[in-house]
Amino acid sequence: MRTFCVAVVVLSLLSVGQPAPLTCETLMKPRDTEGPDLTGRWFFLALSAEHCITTTVLDVLLRPSFVFDVTSMDAPNVYNSSIKITIDGHCFEESKMFFYKDNQMFEVDSNNTALGKASVFLYSGCPDCIVKRMDMIKALILISRRKVVTAAELAEFETQARCLGWSKPQVLRAEHASENCRSYHDIPRQEAEAIMQSIQHKVSEKATSMQEKIMKCFTDFWVFVYNTVS
Ligand SMILES: *[C@@H]1O[C@H](CO)[C@@H](O)[C@H](O)[C@H]1NC(C)=O
Ligand SMILES: *[C@@H]1O[C@H](CO)[C@@H](O)[C@H](O)[C@H]1NC(C)=O
């Protein structure tokens, strides 16, 4: 009997060191800690969506990398995000204002008033990541201060996508981000055309090699639409 008791105590002491598996209930919870400071640089690392079309399109588009540089504005809770998108070695820059408070992000109108449905930050075991659920476009994204997260952190994000029944995450390659970014409007027309032609060529090659996957995704999509409307 005593041996049994000792064994139980030892086993329960051992199990203290093991993290309990996280349930979907925990993983789907909005973040309950104070919202992170958003200012500074973030890397977009993975995306899952309700439908595989979203992730397939990103893949066909040569898996662009996205870097966000966020600055706070004079108005409270209003931020400016400079978005740098690198696609096939070319980097384009755009900026966008948003409203952020209590782990919720909103689009803004021209007066910086929050608009529409919030994107909500969900629980994340990764200390310098944000898992953002965007209900407007039915997508879940993982962003981080780091260019690469650990396999365990990525696996947790995959589980979150599975909890929603959404697509397997498309992983983006933040390490391919270029620093040499220009606003699309600042690129001379001829150069812009040449860049677009080269990208189009690579995109069509990629689409050809992925034809089966794309077809399957579109078929599933139409079945999904048909089932939704009928
Ligand atoms: C937002 O940031 C971009 C890039 O730094 C800048 O060009 C733009 O003027 C800023 N917008 C506002 C309203 O400050
Ligand atoms: C912004 O504010 C101005 C002045 O109050 C108002 O006339 C205008 O309609 C507002 N714009 C929007 C998009 O709400």
Side-chain angles (χ1 to χ4, degrees):
M1 188 62 192
R2 188 186 285 162
T3 325
F4 176 71
C5 283
V6 170
V8 168
V9 170
V10 169
L11 276 179
S12 53
L13 281 177
L14 282 177
S15 66
V16 169
Q18 307 271 318
L22 293 169
T23 60
C24 281
E25 197 196 342
T26 305
L27 290 170
M28 287 297 102
K29 264 195 205 138
R31 232 172 135 126
D32 54 6
T33 52
E34 195 189 334
D37 176 11
L38 289 190
T39 57
R41 176 160 282 199
W42 294 92
F43 300 98
F44 180 7
L45 299 183
L47 167 104
S48 164
E50 184 174 31
H51 202 273
C52 62
I53 279 191
T54 314
T55 45
T56 303
V57 164
L58 266 187
D59 199 7
V60 171
L61 284 176
L62 316 171
R63 286 210 256 160
S65 64
F66 296 80
V67 176
F68 305 99
D69 286 310
V70 178
T71 49
S72 57
M73 304 295 289
D74 289 339
N77 307 112
V78 177
Y79 295 82
N80 181 4
S81 176
S82 156
I83 307 159
K84 299 175 176 76
I85 305 171
T86 307
I87 177 164
D88 191 33
H90 303 281
C91 183
F92 307 104
E93 192 168 358
E94 274 294 337
S95 71
K96 199 166 164 36
M97 310 284 284
F98 65 90
F99 184 96
Y100 164 66
K101 198 174 181 218
D102 300 333
N103 291 308
Q104 295 195 321
M105 257 172 88
F106 295 87
E107 308 248 327
V108 291
D109 66 12
S110 51
N111 294 332
N112 291 334
T113 306
L115 277 185
K117 227 173 159 183
S119 294
V120 181
F121 296 175
L122 299 187
Y123 166 89
S124 178
C126 163
D128 58 3
C129 297
I130 293 175
V131 171
K132 187 162 87 161
R133 179 176 172 162
M134 304 160 83
D135 275 341
M136 294 255 263
I137 55 166
K138 303 268 190 238
L140 190 68
I141 72 170
L142 173 68
I143 67 175
S144 174
R145 294 287 189 189
R146 281 170 290 155
K147 285 185 178 175
V148 182
V149 289
T150 65
E153 287 161 346
L154 202 56
E156 184 184 83
F157 180 72
E158 270 191 45
T159 309
Q160 284 172 298
R162 242 194 333 265
C163 287
L164 286 165
W166 288 3
S167 66
K168 186 174 158 55
Q170 177 74 60
V171 175
L172 298 165
R173 297 172 296 190
E175 67 270 30
H176 289 204
S178 164
E179 281 298 327
N180 184 20
C181 306
R182 291 181 290 175
S183 160
Y184 188 71
H185 314 287
D186 294 343
I187 304 174
R189 213 183 110 210
Q190 252 189 338
E191 193 188 342
E193 275 174 8
I195 292 173
M196 280 304 138
Q197 260 176 18
S198 144
I199 291 176
Q200 260 170 27
H201 182 69
K202 289 190 181 160
V203 166
S204 68
E205 276 184 348
K206 178 114 190 213
T208 309
S209 70
M210 286 177 62
Q211 216 160 29
E212 228 170 276
K213 192 174 164 194
I214 295 168
M215 279 317 292
K216 167 139 186 17
C217 195
F218 272 105
T219 316
D220 291 352
F221 181 67
W222 291 118
V223 170
F224 168 80
V225 169
Y226 180 78
N227 288 338
T228 312
V229 297
S230 58

PDB file of all heavy atoms in Angstrom, residues 61-93:
ATOM      1  N   LEU A  61       0.385  33.384 -55.331  1.00  0.00           N
ATOM      2  CA  LEU A  61       1.045  34.686 -55.412  1.00  0.00           C
ATOM      3  C   LEU A  61       2.459  34.640 -54.835  1.00  0.00           C
ATOM      4  O   LEU A  61       2.946  35.608 -54.262  1.00  0.00           O
ATOM      5  CB  LEU A  61       0.230  35.756 -54.680  1.00  0.00           C
ATOM      6  CG  LEU A  61      -1.016  36.246 -55.415  1.00  0.00           C
ATOM      7  CD1 LEU A  61      -1.778  37.234 -54.551  1.00  0.00           C
ATOM      8  CD2 LEU A  61      -0.639  36.898 -56.738  1.00  0.00           C
ATOM      9  N   LEU A  62       3.108  33.484 -54.942  1.00  0.00           N
ATOM     10  CA  LEU A  62       4.513  33.317 -54.587  1.00  0.00           C
ATOM     11  C   LEU A  62       4.780  33.571 -53.106  1.00  0.00           C
ATOM     12  O   LEU A  62       5.868  33.992 -52.742  1.00  0.00           O
ATOM     13  CB  LEU A  62       5.391  34.234 -55.454  1.00  0.00           C
ATOM     14  CG  LEU A  62       5.046  34.274 -56.951  1.00  0.00           C
ATOM     15  CD1 LEU A  62       5.835  35.365 -57.631  1.00  0.00           C
ATOM     16  CD2 LEU A  62       5.316  32.934 -57.613  1.00  0.00           C
ATOM     17  N   ARG A  63       3.780  33.328 -52.278  1.00  0.00           N
ATOM     18  CA  ARG A  63       3.928  33.481 -50.823  1.00  0.00           C
ATOM     19  C   ARG A  63       4.645  34.780 -50.444  1.00  0.00           C
ATOM     20  O   ARG A  63       5.782  34.782 -49.996  1.00  0.00           O
ATOM     21  CB  ARG A  63       4.674  32.286 -50.243  1.00  0.00           C
ATOM     22  CG  ARG A  63       3.757  31.075 -50.217  1.00  0.00           C
ATOM     23  CD  ARG A  63       4.122  30.167 -49.087  1.00  0.00           C
ATOM     24  NE  ARG A  63       4.834  28.996 -49.534  1.00  0.00           N
ATOM     25  CZ  ARG A  63       5.582  28.241 -48.749  1.00  0.00           C
ATOM     26  NH1 ARG A  63       5.756  28.552 -47.490  1.00  0.00           N
ATOM     27  NH2 ARG A  63       6.169  27.189 -49.214  1.00  0.00           N
ATOM     28  N   PRO A  64       3.980  35.893 -50.640  1.00  0.00           N
ATOM     29  CA  PRO A  64       4.605  37.178 -50.315  1.00  0.00           C
ATOM     30  C   PRO A  64       4.937  37.271 -48.830  1.00  0.00           C
ATOM     31  O   PRO A  64       4.352  36.555 -48.017  1.00  0.00           O
ATOM     32  CB  PRO A  64       3.518  38.193 -50.678  1.00  0.00           C
ATOM     33  CG  PRO A  64       2.241  37.441 -50.706  1.00  0.00           C
ATOM     34  CD  PRO A  64       2.582  36.032 -51.063  1.00  0.00           C
ATOM     35  N   SER A  65       5.867  38.138 -48.468  1.00  0.00           N
ATOM     36  CA  SER A  65       6.109  38.354 -47.035  1.00  0.00           C
ATOM     37  C   SER A  65       5.618  39.749 -46.673  1.00  0.00           C
ATOM     38  O   SER A  65       5.675  40.673 -47.485  1.00  0.00           O
ATOM     39  CB  SER A  65       7.573  38.170 -46.688  1.00  0.00           C
ATOM     40  OG  SER A  65       8.334  39.133 -47.337  1.00  0.00           O
ATOM     41  N   PHE A  66       5.097  39.856 -45.454  1.00  0.00           N
ATOM     42  CA  PHE A  66       4.509  41.108 -44.990  1.00  0.00           C
ATOM     43  C   PHE A  66       5.204  41.559 -43.707  1.00  0.00           C
ATOM     44  O   PHE A  66       5.343  40.773 -42.780  1.00  0.00           O
ATOM     45  CB  PHE A  66       3.024  40.916 -44.649  1.00  0.00           C
ATOM     46  CG  PHE A  66       2.149  40.551 -45.814  1.00  0.00           C
ATOM     47  CD1 PHE A  66       2.098  39.238 -46.278  1.00  0.00           C
ATOM     48  CD2 PHE A  66       1.351  41.507 -46.431  1.00  0.00           C
ATOM     49  CE1 PHE A  66       1.271  38.885 -47.350  1.00  0.00           C
ATOM     50  CE2 PHE A  66       0.522  41.165 -47.493  1.00  0.00           C
ATOM     51  CZ  PHE A  66       0.485  39.857 -47.945  1.00  0.00           C
ATOM     52  N   VAL A  67       5.605  42.823 -43.680  1.00  0.00           N
ATOM     53  CA  VAL A  67       6.203  43.402 -42.480  1.00  0.00           C
ATOM     54  C   VAL A  67       5.373  44.641 -42.131  1.00  0.00           C
ATOM     55  O   VAL A  67       5.015  45.420 -43.017  1.00  0.00           O
ATOM     56  CB  VAL A  67       7.672  43.809 -42.751  1.00  0.00           C
ATOM     57  CG1 VAL A  67       8.272  44.510 -41.543  1.00  0.00           C
ATOM     58  CG2 VAL A  67       8.506  42.596 -43.126  1.00  0.00           C
ATOM     59  N   PHE A  68       5.035  44.785 -40.852  1.00  0.00           N
ATOM     60  CA  PHE A  68       4.248  45.944 -40.419  1.00  0.00           C
ATOM     61  C   PHE A  68       5.096  46.800 -39.483  1.00  0.00           C
ATOM     62  O   PHE A  68       5.667  46.285 -38.530  1.00  0.00           O
ATOM     63  CB  PHE A  68       3.004  45.500 -39.636  1.00  0.00           C
ATOM     64  CG  PHE A  68       2.133  44.528 -40.373  1.00  0.00           C
ATOM     65  CD1 PHE A  68       2.229  43.159 -40.112  1.00  0.00           C
ATOM     66  CD2 PHE A  68       1.212  44.961 -41.307  1.00  0.00           C
ATOM     67  CE1 PHE A  68       1.417  42.242 -40.789  1.00  0.00           C
ATOM     68  CE2 PHE A  68       0.404  44.055 -41.976  1.00  0.00           C
ATOM     69  CZ  PHE A  68       0.513  42.701 -41.716  1.00  0.00           C
ATOM     70  N   ASP A  69       5.179  48.095 -39.765  1.00  0.00           N
ATOM     71  CA  ASP A  69       5.830  49.032 -38.846  1.00  0.00           C
ATOM     72  C   ASP A  69       4.752  49.956 -38.314  1.00  0.00           C
ATOM     73  O   ASP A  69       4.188  50.755 -39.057  1.00  0.00           O
ATOM     74  CB  ASP A  69       6.917  49.829 -39.576  1.00  0.00           C
ATOM     75  CG  ASP A  69       8.144  48.980 -39.844  1.00  0.00           C
ATOM     76  OD1 ASP A  69       8.625  48.340 -38.890  1.00  0.00           O
ATOM     77  OD2 ASP A  69       8.603  48.925 -41.001  1.00  0.00           O
ATOM     78  N   VAL A  70       4.478  49.816 -37.026  1.00  0.00           N
ATOM     79  CA  VAL A  70       3.336  50.520 -36.440  1.00  0.00           C
ATOM     80  C   VAL A  70       3.810  51.719 -35.607  1.00  0.00           C
ATOM     81  O   VAL A  70       4.738  51.588 -34.797  1.00  0.00           O
ATOM     82  CB  VAL A  70       2.507  49.552 -35.557  1.00  0.00           C
ATOM     83  CG1 VAL A  70       1.338  50.264 -34.893  1.00  0.00           C
ATOM     84  CG2 VAL A  70       2.015  48.368 -36.382  1.00  0.00           C
ATOM     85  N   THR A  71       3.190  52.864 -35.827  1.00  0.00           N
ATOM     86  CA  THR A  71       3.485  54.047 -35.006  1.00  0.00           C
ATOM     87  C   THR A  71       2.177  54.565 -34.420  1.00  0.00           C
ATOM     88  O   THR A  71       1.117  54.424 -35.036  1.00  0.00           O
ATOM     89  CB  THR A  71       4.135  55.168 -35.841  1.00  0.00           C
ATOM     90  OG1 THR A  71       3.357  55.369 -37.022  1.00  0.00           O
ATOM     91  CG2 THR A  71       5.562  54.839 -36.233  1.00  0.00           C
ATOM     92  N   SER A  72       2.256  55.165 -33.217  1.00  0.00           N
ATOM     93  CA  SER A  72       1.019  55.694 -32.636  1.00  0.00           C
ATOM     94  C   SER A  72       0.832  57.124 -33.132  1.00  0.00           C
ATOM     95  O   SER A  72       1.796  57.835 -33.399  1.00  0.00           O
ATOM     96  CB  SER A  72       1.059  55.618 -31.120  1.00  0.00           C
ATOM     97  OG  SER A  72       2.167  56.312 -30.637  1.00  0.00           O
ATOM     98  N   MET A  73      -0.410  57.534 -33.261  1.00  0.00           N
ATOM     99  CA  MET A  73      -0.742  58.870 -33.761  1.00  0.00           C
ATOM    100  C   MET A  73      -1.150  59.739 -32.566  1.00  0.00           C
ATOM    101  O   MET A  73      -1.279  59.257 -31.448  1.00  0.00           O
ATOM    102  CB  MET A  73      -1.881  58.788 -34.772  1.00  0.00           C
ATOM    103  CG  MET A  73      -1.614  57.867 -35.944  1.00  0.00           C
ATOM    104  SD  MET A  73      -0.265  58.423 -36.983  1.00  0.00           S
ATOM    105  CE  MET A  73      -1.007  59.829 -37.766  1.00  0.00           C
ATOM    106  N   ASP A  74      -1.376  61.032 -32.814  1.00  0.00           N
ATOM    107  CA  ASP A  74      -1.752  61.936 -31.720  1.00  0.00           C
ATOM    108  C   ASP A  74      -3.094  61.548 -31.103  1.00  0.00           C
ATOM    109  O   ASP A  74      -3.259  61.596 -29.895  1.00  0.00           O
ATOM    110  CB  ASP A  74      -1.806  63.387 -32.219  1.00  0.00           C
ATOM    111  CG  ASP A  74      -0.394  63.908 -32.495  1.00  0.00           C
ATOM    112  OD1 ASP A  74       0.552  63.314 -31.925  1.00  0.00           O
ATOM    113  OD2 ASP A  74      -0.250  64.861 -33.270  1.00  0.00           O
ATOM    114  N   ALA A  75      -4.051  61.159 -31.953  1.00  0.00           N
ATOM    115  CA  ALA A  75      -5.375  60.788 -31.434  1.00  0.00           C
ATOM    116  C   ALA A  75      -5.249  59.519 -30.602  1.00  0.00           C
ATOM    117  O   ALA A  75      -4.507  58.606 -30.984  1.00  0.00           O
ATOM    118  CB  ALA A  75      -6.335  60.567 -32.597  1.00  0.00           C
ATOM    119  N   PRO A  76      -5.918  59.422 -29.438  1.00  0.00           N
ATOM    120  CA  PRO A  76      -5.784  58.223 -28.600  1.00  0.00           C
ATOM    121  C   PRO A  76      -6.266  56.974 -29.327  1.00  0.00           C
ATOM    122  O   PRO A  76      -7.278  57.023 -30.042  1.00  0.00           O
ATOM    123  CB  PRO A  76      -6.664  58.521 -27.379  1.00  0.00           C
ATOM    124  CG  PRO A  76      -7.486  59.707 -27.723  1.00  0.00           C
ATOM    125  CD  PRO A  76      -6.812  60.431 -28.838  1.00  0.00           C
ATOM    126  N   ASN A  77      -5.529  55.885 -29.148  1.00  0.00           N
ATOM    127  CA  ASN A  77      -5.882  54.566 -29.709  1.00  0.00           C
ATOM    128  C   ASN A  77      -5.808  54.494 -31.234  1.00  0.00           C
ATOM    129  O   ASN A  77      -6.277  53.525 -31.835  1.00  0.00           O
ATOM    130  CB  ASN A  77      -7.271  54.102 -29.258  1.00  0.00           C
ATOM    131  CG  ASN A  77      -7.430  54.136 -27.756  1.00  0.00           C
ATOM    132  OD1 ASN A  77      -8.186  54.941 -27.220  1.00  0.00           O
ATOM    133  ND2 ASN A  77      -6.676  53.311 -27.072  1.00  0.00           N
ATOM    134  N   VAL A  78      -5.272  55.527 -31.866  1.00  0.00           N
ATOM    135  CA  VAL A  78      -5.172  55.495 -33.327  1.00  0.00           C
ATOM    136  C   VAL A  78      -3.705  55.246 -33.717  1.00  0.00           C
ATOM    137  O   VAL A  78      -2.795  55.832 -33.139  1.00  0.00           O
ATOM    138  CB  VAL A  78      -5.692  56.799 -33.960  1.00  0.00           C
ATOM    139  CG1 VAL A  78      -5.512  56.769 -35.475  1.00  0.00           C
ATOM    140  CG2 VAL A  78      -7.160  56.997 -33.615  1.00  0.00           C
ATOM    141  N   TYR A  79      -3.513  54.320 -34.657  1.00  0.00           N
ATOM    142  CA  TYR A  79      -2.168  53.925 -35.082  1.00  0.00           C
ATOM    143  C   TYR A  79      -2.075  53.981 -36.602  1.00  0.00           C
ATOM    144  O   TYR A  79      -3.072  53.839 -37.304  1.00  0.00           O
ATOM    145  CB  TYR A  79      -1.866  52.500 -34.612  1.00  0.00           C
ATOM    146  CG  TYR A  79      -1.814  52.370 -33.110  1.00  0.00           C
ATOM    147  CD1 TYR A  79      -2.990  52.237 -32.368  1.00  0.00           C
ATOM    148  CD2 TYR A  79      -0.601  52.392 -32.433  1.00  0.00           C
ATOM    149  CE1 TYR A  79      -2.948  52.125 -30.981  1.00  0.00           C
ATOM    150  CE2 TYR A  79      -0.551  52.281 -31.051  1.00  0.00           C
ATOM    151  CZ  TYR A  79      -1.723  52.152 -30.330  1.00  0.00           C
ATOM    152  OH  TYR A  79      -1.677  52.041 -28.964  1.00  0.00           O
ATOM    153  N   ASN A  80      -0.829  54.151 -37.053  1.00  0.00           N
ATOM    154  CA  ASN A  80      -0.546  54.119 -38.488  1.00  0.00           C
ATOM    155  C   ASN A  80       0.342  52.906 -38.736  1.00  0.00           C
ATOM    156  O   ASN A  80       1.367  52.729 -38.091  1.00  0.00           O
ATOM    157  CB  ASN A  80       0.191  55.416 -38.863  1.00  0.00           C
ATOM    158  CG  ASN A  80       0.523  55.497 -40.340  1.00  0.00           C
ATOM    159  OD1 ASN A  80       0.147  54.616 -41.124  1.00  0.00           O
ATOM    160  ND2 ASN A  80       1.229  56.557 -40.718  1.00  0.00           N
ATOM    161  N   SER A  81      -0.075  52.056 -39.647  1.00  0.00           N
ATOM    162  CA  SER A  81       0.714  50.876 -39.951  1.00  0.00           C
ATOM    163  C   SER A  81       1.293  51.006 -41.347  1.00  0.00           C
ATOM    164  O   SER A  81       0.545  51.165 -42.316  1.00  0.00           O
ATOM    165  CB  SER A  81      -0.187  49.645 -39.853  1.00  0.00           C
ATOM    166  OG  SER A  81       0.527  48.508 -40.227  1.00  0.00           O
ATOM    167  N   SER A  82       2.600  50.974 -41.442  1.00  0.00           N
ATOM    168  CA  SER A  82       3.229  50.959 -42.753  1.00  0.00           C
ATOM    169  C   SER A  82       3.447  49.489 -43.104  1.00  0.00           C
ATOM    170  O   SER A  82       4.103  48.750 -42.366  1.00  0.00           O
ATOM    171  CB  SER A  82       4.541  51.730 -42.671  1.00  0.00           C
ATOM    172  OG  SER A  82       5.398  51.302 -43.688  1.00  0.00           O
ATOM    173  N   ILE A  83       2.839  49.069 -44.199  1.00  0.00           N
ATOM    174  CA  ILE A  83       2.856  47.653 -44.578  1.00  0.00           C
ATOM    175  C   ILE A  83       3.810  47.462 -45.743  1.00  0.00           C
ATOM    176  O   ILE A  83       3.662  48.112 -46.777  1.00  0.00           O
ATOM    177  CB  ILE A  83       1.435  47.195 -44.989  1.00  0.00           C
ATOM    178  CG1 ILE A  83       0.433  47.540 -43.885  1.00  0.00           C
ATOM    179  CG2 ILE A  83       1.403  45.707 -45.309  1.00  0.00           C
ATOM    180  CD1 ILE A  83      -1.000  47.607 -44.379  1.00  0.00           C
ATOM    181  N   LYS A  84       4.801  46.614 -45.537  1.00  0.00           N
ATOM    182  CA  LYS A  84       5.777  46.347 -46.604  1.00  0.00           C
ATOM    183  C   LYS A  84       5.560  44.931 -47.107  1.00  0.00           C
ATOM    184  O   LYS A  84       5.688  43.976 -46.357  1.00  0.00           O
ATOM    185  CB  LYS A  84       7.195  46.523 -46.066  1.00  0.00           C
ATOM    186  CG  LYS A  84       7.432  47.947 -45.583  1.00  0.00           C
ATOM    187  CD  LYS A  84       8.791  48.109 -44.945  1.00  0.00           C
ATOM    188  CE  LYS A  84       9.029  49.557 -44.572  1.00  0.00           C
ATOM    189  NZ  LYS A  84       8.281  49.976 -43.363  1.00  0.00           N
ATOM    190  N   ILE A  85       5.205  44.841 -48.394  1.00  0.00           N
ATOM    191  CA  ILE A  85       4.902  43.531 -48.990  1.00  0.00           C
ATOM    192  C   ILE A  85       5.996  43.184 -49.985  1.00  0.00           C
ATOM    193  O   ILE A  85       6.201  43.914 -50.958  1.00  0.00           O
ATOM    194  CB  ILE A  85       3.544  43.570 -49.720  1.00  0.00           C
ATOM    195  CG1 ILE A  85       2.447  44.061 -48.762  1.00  0.00           C
ATOM    196  CG2 ILE A  85       3.188  42.202 -50.291  1.00  0.00           C
ATOM    197  CD1 ILE A  85       1.126  44.335 -49.460  1.00  0.00           C
ATOM    198  N   THR A  86       6.713  42.092 -49.715  1.00  0.00           N
ATOM    199  CA  THR A  86       7.751  41.655 -50.665  1.00  0.00           C
ATOM    200  C   THR A  86       7.208  40.489 -51.463  1.00  0.00           C
ATOM    201  O   THR A  86       6.769  39.492 -50.892  1.00  0.00           O
ATOM    202  CB  THR A  86       9.039  41.225 -49.936  1.00  0.00           C
ATOM    203  OG1 THR A  86       9.441  42.279 -49.072  1.00  0.00           O
ATOM    204  CG2 THR A  86      10.155  40.926 -50.917  1.00  0.00           C
ATOM    205  N   ILE A  87       7.223  40.652 -52.784  1.00  0.00           N
ATOM    206  CA  ILE A  87       6.746  39.585 -53.652  1.00  0.00           C
ATOM    207  C   ILE A  87       7.777  39.404 -54.753  1.00  0.00           C
ATOM    208  O   ILE A  87       8.122  40.372 -55.432  1.00  0.00           O
ATOM    209  CB  ILE A  87       5.310  39.884 -54.167  1.00  0.00           C
ATOM    210  CG1 ILE A  87       4.829  38.831 -55.136  1.00  0.00           C
ATOM    211  CG2 ILE A  87       5.148  41.258 -54.743  1.00  0.00           C
ATOM    212  CD1 ILE A  87       3.326  38.857 -55.352  1.00  0.00           C
ATOM    213  N   ASP A  88       8.333  38.195 -54.804  1.00  0.00           N
ATOM    214  CA  ASP A  88       9.343  37.877 -55.806  1.00  0.00           C
ATOM    215  C   ASP A  88      10.515  38.875 -55.774  1.00  0.00           C
ATOM    216  O   ASP A  88      11.000  39.314 -56.814  1.00  0.00           O
ATOM    217  CB  ASP A  88       8.670  37.850 -57.192  1.00  0.00           C
ATOM    218  CG  ASP A  88       9.580  37.262 -58.256  1.00  0.00           C
ATOM    219  OD1 ASP A  88      10.372  36.372 -57.907  1.00  0.00           O
ATOM    220  OD2 ASP A  88       9.507  37.704 -59.411  1.00  0.00           O
ATOM    221  N   GLY A  89      10.933  39.258 -54.580  1.00  0.00           N
ATOM    222  CA  GLY A  89      12.087  40.151 -54.433  1.00  0.00           C
ATOM    223  C   GLY A  89      11.781  41.638 -54.569  1.00  0.00           C
ATOM    224  O   GLY A  89      12.629  42.475 -54.302  1.00  0.00           O
ATOM    225  N   HIS A  90      10.557  41.977 -54.982  1.00  0.00           N
ATOM    226  CA  HIS A  90      10.181  43.390 -55.101  1.00  0.00           C
ATOM    227  C   HIS A  90       9.368  43.780 -53.878  1.00  0.00           C
ATOM    228  O   HIS A  90       8.477  43.045 -53.475  1.00  0.00           O
ATOM    229  CB  HIS A  90       9.341  43.626 -56.354  1.00  0.00           C
ATOM    230  CG  HIS A  90      10.035  43.196 -57.608  1.00  0.00           C
ATOM    231  ND1 HIS A  90      11.011  43.954 -58.209  1.00  0.00           N
ATOM    232  CD2 HIS A  90       9.913  42.071 -58.349  1.00  0.00           C
ATOM    233  CE1 HIS A  90      11.457  43.312 -59.279  1.00  0.00           C
ATOM    234  NE2 HIS A  90      10.811  42.165 -59.391  1.00  0.00           N
ATOM    235  N   CYS A  91       9.681  44.955 -53.314  1.00  0.00           N
ATOM    236  CA  CYS A  91       8.967  45.348 -52.104  1.00  0.00           C
ATOM    237  C   CYS A  91       8.110  46.592 -52.341  1.00  0.00           C
ATOM    238  O   CYS A  91       8.596  47.615 -52.831  1.00  0.00           O
ATOM    239  CB  CYS A  91       9.959  45.582 -50.976  1.00  0.00           C
ATOM    240  SG  CYS A  91       9.145  45.992 -49.438  1.00  0.00           S
ATOM    241  N   PHE A  92       6.846  46.480 -51.998  1.00  0.00           N
ATOM    242  CA  PHE A  92       5.897  47.591 -52.149  1.00  0.00           C
ATOM    243  C   PHE A  92       5.425  48.024 -50.767  1.00  0.00           C
ATOM    244  O   PHE A  92       5.255  47.193 -49.875  1.00  0.00           O
ATOM    245  CB  PHE A  92       4.694  47.167 -53.001  1.00  0.00           C
ATOM    246  CG  PHE A  92       5.094  46.584 -54.319  1.00  0.00           C
ATOM    247  CD1 PHE A  92       5.042  45.212 -54.528  1.00  0.00           C
ATOM    248  CD2 PHE A  92       5.554  47.402 -55.342  1.00  0.00           C
ATOM    249  CE1 PHE A  92       5.438  44.659 -55.737  1.00  0.00           C
ATOM    250  CE2 PHE A  92       5.953  46.860 -56.558  1.00  0.00           C
ATOM    251  CZ  PHE A  92       5.893  45.490 -56.757  1.00  0.00           C
ATOM    252  N   GLU A  93       5.208  49.316 -50.631  1.00  0.00           N
ATOM    253  CA  GLU A  93       4.858  49.852 -49.325  1.00  0.00           C
ATOM    254  C   GLU A  93       3.530  50.592 -49.396  1.00  0.00           C
ATOM    255  O   GLU A  93       3.267  51.315 -50.344  1.00  0.00           O
ATOM    256  CB  GLU A  93       5.978  50.824 -48.918  1.00  0.00           C
ATOM    257  CG  GLU A  93       5.929  51.235 -47.502  1.00  0.00           C
ATOM    258  CD  GLU A  93       7.222  51.955 -47.092  1.00  0.00           C
ATOM    259  OE1 GLU A  93       8.146  52.092 -47.923  1.00  0.00           O
ATOM    260  OE2 GLU A  93       7.275  52.377 -45.939  1.00  0.00           O
TER     261      GLU A  93
END
